[in-house]
Amino acid sequence: MRTHPASREPLLSRRNLLRGGAATAAGAGGALTIGGCGSAGGAGASDPMQFWQFYAPIDQQDPNLVAQNDWFLNVLKTWEDAGGRPVEPVYIPGYTDPTNTRLVTAFASGAGPDIFLISPGDFLRYYNGGVLVDLAPYMSQEAIDDFYPQALATRTVGDGIYGLPMEQEPLAIFYDVATFEEHGLSEGDLPTTWDEMLELGKRMTGGERAGLVLETLPGYYQNFTFYPWLWQAGGDVIDVESQRPVFDSEAGIQALQLFQDAITSGAAPRTRPANGDIVSALTGGYAAMWQGGIFDVEALRQNAPDYEYGVFSLPAPPGGEPVTTLGGWAWCVNARGRDPEAAAQLTVEVMGSMSQDSIDAGVQWNGVAKGNIPARTSVTEAIGDTGAFEEPILQQFRDEILPTGRAEPRFPPVIYKAVSNAIQATQLGGADPAEEAATAQDAIESYLETYEGGPLL
């Protein structure tokens, strides 16, 4: 998810706002402890519900962010105009920063919002805390079946549906066409293996330009970007069948080694250039290749419409196949809020019904405001009729990259933190990948000895 140039961001950072589908508002602490029954701190029955998120209302100049702000305000106004209980959109600065504990603290004190956004990476914190409303009773079977299985799976437990995804966000490598041409390279020279990627990164690094940019800040987003490299090598954090940790493996060591080698070889920098903004980094000549997501396509189109760039699938190790990770945010409802029934009805009406208004809202969000892969079949089909995916790079994401995707895992904070610590220690601290994989494995095994909660995916 991105930032944009300091000259255009007086109010907020695109990096903090959009660091994907995959970042989270909550910190890396333990299980969520829920406070009293009411979330409104004694609010009256007629008080507006609150929807906490990081899109609206904001005062911005960036057309990409303005479109997203307007989408949220419009769907809430439509609900209210139809007679629904009023909803107050509450913009939370730093929502996607994993050190921001405002959402967790609000729930712990019994003052959580009525509706809020979470990524798969933080789902179990809230599900295990017992604060999520099961939305399945409010949905038709046709609407449930309309969601792509991989998009809905990380928000379900048994037959219960505890969040409705807005989008799917696959990752890829973005590259600067001019830099490739300067080095006598063409599409036929795009790297398909880790070694080729690192070699090109070293070759194109020079002056103020980084050859390859990977995420270096610890957080859910960095883990999100790390998982596909682990999967490509044949590894995982948790084995789905046994629900036991498998991170201490040859694949885990290889993936950690890749992140370390990218830095030590000189292929990638220790900090992302241009304050982490892919738009200004690529257009300003500060990066040749950048691991980003489909959400960056619309940002580049809106802010640099004439800029020439390409994307390619994440390279794989020898013998491996390209794999990407699918992130995205979901609307969730607080079971102890002001009016859980009204909040659930609003959430389903906007995000998960077969009404034309619901489908149109998905088209506007994924096809116009943010430019993502939809989470629903009906929305995908409707977008196809609008021509929104006539952009060749969006077609490449949809047709070539998306089919290689796996849903972002949902791990409790302790598991996320164990993996994050291993990445940071090896990537930036120079620690031995084998030792860090073993340390993370031990921490996860210890935690799971007493874990009680939803299944890990």
Side-chain angles (χ1 to χ4, degrees), residues 55-75:
Y55 290 105
I58 58 170
D59 182 14
Q60 256 292 333
Q61 301 301 314
D62 183 322
N64 190 205
L65 304 184
V66 169
Q68 294 164 23
N69 169 80
D70 292 348
W71 183 90
F72 266 88
L73 298 183
N74 287 338
V75 296

Side-chain angles (χ1 to χ4, degrees), residues 223-237:
N223 284 34
F224 173 66
T225 66
F226 173 79
Y227 293 135
W229 308 106
L230 173 65
W231 295 335
Q232 287 179 351
D236 216 325
V237 178

Side-chain angles (χ1 to χ4, degrees), residues 171-173 191-194 197 225 228-229 232 290-292 312-317 321-325 401 404:
L171 299 178
I173 302 293
T192 59
T193 68
W194 291 0
M197 178 179 68
T225 66
W229 308 106
Q232 287 179 351
W290 186 295
Q291 184 183 11
F312 57 89
S313 298
L314 302 179
E321 295 292 333
V323 181
T324 193
T325 184
I401 298 170
T404 70

Side-chain angles (χ1 to χ4, degrees), residues 336-384:
R336 308 183 186 189
R338 296 165 178 80
D339 192 341
E341 183 171 357
Q345 290 170 347
L346 166 59
T347 296
V348 169
E349 176 54 35
V350 175
M351 299 307 305
S353 86
M354 296 308 297
S355 72
Q356 192 59 52
D357 284 346
S358 178
I359 295 170
D360 288 345
V363 170
Q364 288 298 311
W365 178 254
N366 290 284
V368 180
K370 199 173 181 185
N372 282 334
I373 300 293
R376 301 175 55 186
T377 303
S378 62
V379 176
T380 300
E381 293 172 350
I383 286 179

Side-chain angles (χ1 to χ4, degrees), residues 13 54 57 65 81 117 159-160 175 189 191 193 211 229 252 305 315 369 371 376 382-383 397 436:
S13 160
F54 50 95
L65 304 184
D81 288 348
L117 297 182
D159 294 329
Y175 69 94
D189 300 303
T193 68
W229 308 106
R376 301 175 55 186
I383 286 179
F397 266 104
E436 292 304 316

